[in-house]
Amino acid sequence: MSTVERLVSEGLGTYMLVFTVGCNVLGGSPMFAALSIAAALMVSIYALGAVSGGHFNPAVSFTMGTKGHEAWIDMGMYMAVQIFAGLLAAFSYAMVYEKTFNLVPGAGFGWVEAGTVE
């Protein structure tokens, strides 16, 4: 696959995942939130995984670069596209719901712990 096809694949998958998470949080759907997020991720991986590897998360791309499974230049482009797609998805669900939410670590945890887990 060409680089453009792989980057578009990563962008679409990341957008779908972040948009689904945001809509679940703002929609207040506790019952089926995990199911819909998992379904969106599964569909994205099945549809786009063969094109780009289905990372859809800068942490995954970073790890693939660190482990030497992918070239660093490719992972840098993946991470840039994933961050852009995530921001675009955030603007999209903010427009749909006309509100946003702050994503912060839970009580008793800081950014270091959250980053370590990520």
Side-chain angles (χ1 to χ4, degrees):
M1 298 288 162
S2 74
T3 302
V4 172
E5 290 171 330
R6 292 178 14 218
L7 294 175
V8 168
S9 172
E10 283 297 311
L12 287 172
T14 303
Y15 180 91
M16 186 75 144
L17 180 60
V18 173
F19 186 75
T20 303
V21 170
C23 286
N24 276 290
V25 170
L26 292 176
S29 170
M31 180 175 269
F32 293 109
L35 180 63
S36 66
I37 294 166
L41 182 59
M42 180 190 69
V43 167
S44 296
I45 289 172
Y46 277 118
L48 305 169
V51 177
S52 67
H55 301 177
F56 310 139
N57 182 334
V60 174
S61 296
F62 181 81
T63 301
M64 296 300 280
T66 302
K67 298 298 258 177
H69 295 289
E70 301 279 352
W72 270 110
I73 187 71
D74 292 339
M75 294 305 95
M77 290 187 292
Y78 272 35
M79 289 186 278
V81 166
Q82 291 160 349
I83 290 168
F84 177 76
L87 290 172
L88 187 62
F91 285 121
S92 297
Y93 66 67
M95 290 175 56
V96 169
Y97 282 94
E98 297 180 346
K99 61 182 176 177
T100 60
F101 62 93
N102 291 327
L103 186 61
V104 296
F109 298 96
W111 287 106
V112 172
E113 291 88 358
T116 302
V117 172
E118 179 61 29

